[in-house]
Amino acid sequence: MKYHKSFYQIKSNEEIFSKIVKEKEHIGYYSLPFQETKEIKEFAKRVKQKHIVVVGIGGSSLGTFAIHHFLIDKENDKKLHFLESTDPIDLQRRIRKIDLKDALFIVISKSGTTIETISILKYLSSILVLDSSNTICITEEDSKLNSFAKSKEIKTFDIPKNVGGRFSVFSNVGLLPLAIMGLDIDKLLKGCQDIYNSFFEKEDYYSIIMEKARFIVENKNRFNINVIFSYSSLLDGFNKWYVQLWGESLGKININGTKQALTPVGLLGPVDQHSFLQLIMEGKRDKTVTFIKIEDFNDDLTIPNISLEGLEELDYLNNIKFKNLINKQADSTIQAVEDLKDIPYDVITIQSQDEYNIGKLMFTYELLTSIVGSFVQINTYDQPGVEAGKIILKKSLKKEK
C-alpha cells in the first residue's frame, strides 16, 4: 500500500530547521550578513553632496528608513530624504526640502519597472538633469532601470535576484545610503551575523525564535493579530518595516488552500498607551503582544525640580530622567498585561541605540518571518495579491492613454 498526503499539518522544529537550512541554498537574504562591503564604503566616502535622496517604495525604502530613523542622531551632517509617494502634495513638499543642486539621487527598484518609482524618476528628470554626477541606481542586473542607467552612464549597484524587496535592507538597497550617511555598516552586519550564527548553530537564538514561531502558528486561529508595542519613537520606522515584512510575507494561501490571517500591528509607547492599549486590555483576546524596550538611551534629559501651581501633587516626577520614565511606563504596561494572565506577550530589550543592536533586531524578525512561513507551508517570498493590483493598475493607465 502506498500513501501520499498534501494536506497541511504543523511540522516538528527539526523538520522546519532542516527546511530553513535547505532554503539558504536559493533564498539570498540569509547570506547578506557575510558580504564584502569594501566597494560600498569606498563609494560612500567619495559622495560630496549634502542631500541624499532615496527614490523607492516599500522594500526599497522602509528598511533603510527604519535604521536611519533609529540612528539619526549618529549620522553625519548630510540630510537623507525619501521620495516614495505619488501623492502630488507630499511629493512637492518633500522636493522643496531638497537642495537639488547639491543632491545625490539613489533610484531603487528591484524589478526596475516599479510604477511609483519610475513616475517620480520621470518627474525629477523634467526639473533637473539626472546623470552620472548626481544619480546612482540600485536594481537587478538585467532590469529596464539598469538599461536606463547604462544609457546615461550612471553607476549601478546590484540587487541579487534571489533577494526579495522586503528582505533587501542588508543588501546594497540599505547599506549604500546608510554608509553614505556615515553609519557603520559592518557593525550593522555584525549584529545580523551573531543572530545567524546563534540560530544555525542551535544556540540561544535558535530556541527563542523557534519557540516564538511555533506558538504563533499553533495559536494562529485564536491569536491572529500580532502587535509590536515599541517603547521609543526611534522604532517608529522599524514598526512600519515590520508591518510590510509580516503582512506581505505571511498573508498567503497555504497548501490546503486555507487563507492565513496573521495581521501585524505596530504601536508606539507611551503614545498608544492612551489609545490602542484599552483594546488590548479589555477587547477580544485575539492578539499577541511583543514589547520592545531600549535599555540605555544614552541621554540624561531630566524632569526639572520645579513646582507648577495647581500641579504640586505631581512633584514626585521631579528629578526623574526621561529614559527612566519611559521604561517605567513600559514596565507598568507589561505588568498590567501579565496580571491579566490571558494575553500572550514577550519582551525584547535592546541593549543600546547603535548599529549592532538594530541589525540584530531586524535580522531576528526576518528569520522569524521565514520560520513562521515554513510552519504554515506557504511561499513566504512571493506576493501574488500585490501583483494582481499592479496588473490592474497597468491596464487602467494604458487604457487611459
Side-chain angles (χ1 to χ4, degrees):
M1 183 176 72
K2 291 184 178 180
Y3 175 68
H4 176 77
K5 65 178 176 65
S6 63
F7 55 82
Y8 160 77
Q9 61 183 178
I10 298 175
K11 294 183 178 294
S12 70
N13 290 1
E14 200 56 51
E15 285 178 289
I16 294 301
F17 181 75
S18 297
K19 186 176 178 182
I20 293 295
V21 168
K22 188 159 186 62
E23 202 173 77
K24 290 194 299 177
E25 298 174 7
H26 61 277
I27 298 299
Y29 90 84
Y30 290 105
S31 63
L32 293 177
F34 303 96
Q35 69 192 279
E36 173 57 57
T37 59
K38 183 179 178 181
E39 182 185 2
I40 296 172
K41 290 182 292 188
E42 288 180 348
F43 181 88
K45 287 178 185 176
R46 297 196 299 269
V47 174
K48 304 301 181 186
Q49 291 94 331
K50 292 293 185 184
H51 291 256
I52 310 303
V53 187
V54 171
V55 182
I57 193 170
S60 296
S61 64
L62 284 173
T64 305
F65 178 78
I67 297 170
H68 156 71
H69 192 71
F70 186 73
L71 299 171
I72 191 166
D73 57 347
K74 298 182 180 297
E75 295 177 341
N76 54 32
D77 62 352
K78 298 181 187 296
K79 298 182 185 299
L80 185 58
H81 308 265
F82 292 85
L83 301 182
E84 53 192 353
S85 174
T86 52
D87 176 338
I89 295 174
D90 178 71
L91 179 60
Q92 291 185 79
R93 184 182 294 132
R94 293 186 184 217
I95 289 176
R96 282 196 294 269
K97 295 178 181 178
I98 301 168
D99 182 350
L100 298 177
K101 295 179 181 178
D102 191 22
L104 174 69
F105 297 91
I106 306 177
V107 185
I108 307 175
S109 170
K110 179 174 168 61
S111 68
T113 56
T114 308
I115 286 176
E116 295 84 355
T117 303
I118 303 306
S119 298
I120 295 170
L121 174 61
K122 283 175 174 284
Y123 179 69
L124 290 172
S125 297
S126 74
I127 61 174
L128 76 159
V129 176
L130 296 180
D131 57 27
S132 59
S133 69
N134 65 355
T135 307
I136 60 173
C137 294
I138 303 177
T139 185
E140 288 186 348
E141 189 177 11
D142 57 355
S143 76
K144 298 288 178 61
L145 180 59
N146 193 289
S147 298
F148 162 81
K150 286 181 178 177
S151 72
K152 299 275 189 180
E153 297 185 342
I154 291 171
K155 183 171 179 58
T156 62
F157 287 83
D158 184 43
I159 303 175
K161 281 189 176 293
N162 62 356
V163 175
R166 59 188 175 273
F167 288 86
S168 68
V169 61
F170 299 115
S171 71
N172 288 321
V173 169
L175 297 186
L176 185 63
L178 294 169
I180 293 171
M181 296 303 297
L183 295 177
D184 188 338
I185 59 173
D186 290 330
K187 194 173 178 182
L188 184 70
L189 294 180
K190 181 64 167 64
C192 302
Q193 291 168 17
D194 285 356
I195 295 296
Y196 177 102
N197 290 332
S198 179
F199 178 81
F200 286 106
E201 291 171 16
K202 291 191 175 182
E203 296 175 348
D204 291 347
Y205 281 97
Y206 171 82
S207 299
I208 291 169
I209 298 172
M210 192 67 79
E211 285 176 16
K212 180 165 181 165
R214 175 167 283 279
F215 179 87
I216 288 170
V217 172
E218 289 181 343
N219 295 277
K220 64 187 173 67
N221 293 321
R222 181 180 177 190
F223 302 109
N224 64 318
I225 299 173
N226 306 124
V227 177
I228 280 185
F229 218 135
S230 296
Y231 269 81
S232 172
S233 60
L234 297 173
L235 290 164
D236 189 31
F238 168 79
N239 285 4
K240 291 180 171 65
W241 172 82
Y242 153 74
V243 166
Q244 187 207 13
L245 179 72
W246 200 253
E248 201 167 76
S249 298
L250 302 178
K252 303 286 175 61
I253 300 172
N254 71 7
I255 61 170
N256 271 355
T258 304
K259 294 183 178 181
Q260 301 304 299
L262 292 167
T263 302
V265 175
L267 302 177
L268 282 180
V271 175
D272 288 315
Q273 283 184 199
H274 294 269
S275 56
F276 203 94
L277 182 58
Q278 174 64 35
L279 179 60
I280 293 173
M281 298 295 287
E282 295 191 351
K284 186 177 179 181
R285 294 304 190 247
D286 55 359
K287 292 170 276 295
T288 65
V289 185
T290 295
F291 295 96
I292 305 181
K293 300 169 51 182
I294 298 176
E295 185 171 286
D296 187 0
F297 283 86
N298 293 314
D299 190 307
D300 290 325
L301 185 68
T302 302
I303 301 170
N305 186 25
I306 61 173
S307 292
L308 299 175
E309 188 174 345
L311 296 172
E312 291 87 356
E313 66 181 57
L314 292 172
D315 282 354
Y316 62 82
L317 294 171
N318 293 357
N319 295 319
I320 294 176
K321 293 178 181 179
F322 277 96
K323 66 182 181 182
N324 295 335
L325 174 59
I326 193 170
N327 279 330
K328 288 287 186 184
Q329 290 171 306
D331 293 341
S332 298
T333 303
I334 293 165
Q335 184 65 57
V337 168
E338 183 176 9
D339 289 347
L340 291 171
K341 301 188 185 305
D342 62 356
I343 299 174
Y345 78 93
D346 59 347
V347 182
I348 296 173
T349 302
I350 300 173
Q351 300 305 310
S352 60
Q353 180 205 3
D354 59 24
E355 292 94 331
Y356 176 76
N357 278 284
I358 192 64
K360 284 181 70 175
L361 178 66
M362 293 177 73
F363 197 77
T364 295
Y365 265 87
E366 289 184 338
L367 270 179
L368 178 65
T369 302
S370 292
I371 294 163
V372 171
S374 291
F375 266 125
V376 297
Q377 298 187 46
I378 59 171
N379 182 343
T380 310
Y381 307 102
D382 67 356
Q383 50 277 335
V386 177
E387 296 304 321
K390 290 179 180 179
I391 293 168
I392 293 169
L393 175 60
K394 281 184 182 180
K395 287 180 179 178
S396 175
L397 292 172
K398 288 179 179 179
K399 187 176 181 181
E400 189 173 304
K401 279 290 185 183

